[in-house]
Amino acid sequence: HVLLDGAYWFDGMNYANFLPCSEEEATRAVNASSLYYPSKLYVSEPDNPWTFPITHRITVGTGKILALANTAVALSQNQYGRSVLQAFCSDGIWELQMNDMGAYVCKNPTSRDVISNPDCLVMLDGAIAFPTDKGLNILTSQGVTLISEAIEGRNVSDGMPDILTSLDRFFLKTEGVAIQKYDDSKMFKDILKSSMLSYDYAHSCLHVIPQDKTWNYVYDLRSGEWAIQLTGYAVDSIVNDYPDTIIGA
């Protein structure tokens, strides 16, 4: 690509190999000549990202590696403290520690919890937030804690329509628009499967952003309380760039 970096393969001066093809055809050709090891992790040499020694190739669990993160506390925008690397796999969470030779070693499983949406994972200060079929969890050095129990279940406003009517009048008067009604037809743990996660470092808040919604869930890490924030726009993408968060709408 003329603007993006990428990987290229050259097989001599046979121009027939460079004929245009569809993405599906290219994918089939690559798969036919590729080896797939979903539980393998290749780690490069220190200060040499182009070499992957055999001693730095490890097997993590027996399933598929879905995501990698660590519980390090951020020291600055570009430096992180040394910490254990956590591999989120289809058979649980595995702990990877670095030995004296600078290579990662797979230790015992941290938890049997399986991440339900690898895109909905974010590193916090000393913790990792991730979803499972139970709900939203936080992984720390002490283990995994479920934090979404309080928000599971039905919304009481379904049986109390007068609340919505009063809120509609309030928002029309103060904001000039009707309230963005909360749709709780799905359980929270199911919403997490298609949501994005964002960490507000400045306010110690965790934002769960459902797909195509103009509102999001907010979890206060200090008080442990949940709330709903109205944004007025649907979020398309999120880039967590400590200590900032970039949101695309």
Side-chain angles (χ1 to χ4, degrees):
H1 193 280
V2 294
L3 299 178
L4 302 177
D5 293 330
Y8 300 88
W9 173 57
F10 179 72
D11 188 27
M13 297 302 295
N14 185 358
Y15 292 101
N17 290 334
F18 298 93
L19 294 176
C21 65
S22 66
E23 182 177 350
E24 183 179 356
E25 292 172 335
T27 302
R28 284 201 302 265
V30 170
N31 290 339
S33 59
S34 301
L35 298 176
Y36 182 54
Y37 299 109
S39 62
K40 287 285 188 181
L41 182 64
Y42 283 44
V43 183
S44 65
E45 284 184 343
D47 301 323
N48 187 4
W50 309 108
T51 303
F52 297 86
I54 295 178
T55 55
H56 288 212
R57 304 173 188 178
I58 59 176
T59 300
V60 184
T62 58
K64 179 180 179 182
I65 300 175
L66 303 174
L68 296 172
N70 65 52
T71 54
V73 176
L75 304 178
S76 68
Q77 294 186 24
N78 301 311
Q79 182 182 2
Y80 286 83
R82 182 174 178 177
S83 182
V84 174
L85 182 66
Q86 302 288 350
F88 293 81
C89 305
S90 58
D91 58 345
I93 306 172
W94 294 80
E95 180 181 298
L96 305 177
Q97 290 186 348
M98 189 171 290
N99 60 21
D100 295 335
M101 302 299 293
Y104 279 104
V105 179
C106 187
K107 296 291 185 178
N108 295 329
T110 302
S111 171
R112 297 185 64 183
D113 292 306
V114 178
I115 188 171
S116 59
N117 179 8
D119 295 328
C120 188
L121 178 146
V122 66
M123 291 188 295
L124 316 175
D125 278 342
I128 305 169
F130 67 99
T132 65
D133 288 338
K134 294 180 181 179
L136 188 62
N137 303 265
I138 288 184
L139 170 63
T140 64
S141 57
Q142 284 75 40
V144 177
T145 303
L146 180 66
I147 62 172
S148 61
E149 286 181 310
I151 204 171
E152 287 287 3
R154 300 290 295 176
N155 187 2
V156 296
S157 60
D158 279 348
M160 304 177 67
D162 290 341
I163 292 180
L164 290 179
T165 303
S166 300
L167 287 175
D168 273 335
R169 288 198 298 265
F170 172 77
F171 273 85
L172 284 172
K173 181 179 179 179
T174 58
E175 304 292 338
V177 294
I179 184 175
Q180 303 289 327
K181 295 181 176 62
Y182 164 57
D183 178 14
D184 67 345
S185 59
K186 290 184 178 181
M187 296 293 286
F188 183 68
K189 60 184 179 181
D190 295 325
I191 294 176
L192 287 171
K193 294 179 180 179
S194 59
S195 296
M196 294 176 288
L197 209 57
S198 174
Y199 176 43
D200 182 356
Y201 167 78
H203 301 94
S204 295
C205 289
L206 199 58
H207 294 257
V208 179
I209 304 176
Q211 190 176 28
D212 300 326
K213 299 296 184 182
T214 57
W215 47 266
N216 62 80
Y217 301 96
V218 182
Y219 179 75
D220 192 318
L221 294 165
R222 293 168 296 190
S223 66
E225 296 180 347
W226 284 94
I228 289 181
Q229 180 184 45
L230 305 179
T231 59
Y233 55 86
V235 176
D236 295 328
S237 58
I238 295 175
V239 177
N240 291 289
D241 183 24
Y242 174 87
D244 303 314
T245 300
I246 303 172
I247 295 179

